[in-house]
Amino acid sequence: MREAIRLANESMEHGGGPFGAVIVKDGKIVAGSSNSVTIDNDPTAHAEVNTIRQACKKLGTFDLSGCVIYSSCEPCPMCLGAIYWAGISKIFYGNTRKDAHDIDFADDFIYQELELPVEKRAVPTIPLLRDEAIHTFRLWSTKPDKVRY
């Protein structure tokens, strides 16, 4: 956790946000990164996502089962989703999402949006061309050599 916090502090010195994360496997740090949203002009460049990308590349897999993530802050909904998709086994965090809210990071807004019916969310979300799109899913469901994830 101290390394995640150190990365968060270092990030601010280089123009990034106050967030850091490390991924550990078998007691050893596999990857560590910080928030680079403003540096990379990439809204997905959160510390956890950057760290997951590094760990997957280093380990040569998209499955981080058996890994643990240490984040300087409770993961936002996007990062939490990425952590689940990566199969990470446990999450440790320092600051809470309320602490993040108190310094003007509005992650809670997205948590609240996810609880709303699609038609009541702030960003209009409209189904379109499902009859055409479903064809791809049907092909996937019968693909014999697919890699499940």
Side-chain angles (χ1 to χ4, degrees):
M1 181 58 79
R2 288 188 179 98
E3 178 63 5
I5 294 168
R6 186 192 72 73
L7 288 167
N9 288 327
E10 184 180 272
S11 176
M12 290 189 303
E13 294 170 13
H14 296 80
F19 304 96
V22 296
I23 291 177
V24 173
K25 183 170 181 142
D26 299 326
K28 293 186 173 44
I29 294 177
V30 173
S33 192
S34 59
N35 179 292
S36 61
V37 169
T38 56
I39 295 167
D40 297 337
N41 292 317
D42 179 353
T44 69
H46 290 200
E48 297 90 341
V49 172
N50 288 341
T51 304
I52 288 168
R53 289 174 179 153
Q54 283 182 10
C56 288
K57 189 172 188 176
K58 184 172 183 181
L59 296 173
T61 182
F62 56 81
D63 182 2
L64 297 179
S65 297
C67 292
V68 174
I69 191 165
Y70 294 82
S71 178
S72 66
C73 185
E74 183 177 357
C76 75
M78 176 185 70
C79 293
L80 187 60
I83 289 165
Y84 273 80
W85 283 123
I88 292 173
S89 303
K90 192 177 287 186
I91 305 165
F92 292 96
Y93 64 90
N95 295 309
T96 67
R97 66 189 200 201
K98 177 168 181 339
D99 296 331
H101 176 79
D102 290 346
I103 60 166
D104 296 326
F105 286 92
D107 300 350
D108 241 15
F109 167 74
I110 300 171
Y111 277 106
Q112 292 167 14
E113 282 285 295
L114 291 172
E115 293 178 10
L116 294 175
V118 173
E119 62 277 1
K120 293 195 177 195
R121 293 182 184 163
V123 176
T125 307
I126 304 147
L128 184 64
L129 298 177
R130 180 179 178 271
D131 291 342
E132 293 179 34
I134 198 70
H135 176 72
T136 307
F137 278 12
R138 288 185 181 128
L139 289 173
W140 174 260
S141 71
T142 61
K143 186 175 171 37
D145 61 341
K146 65 185 162 209
V147 176
R148 294 186 182 276
Y149 60 96

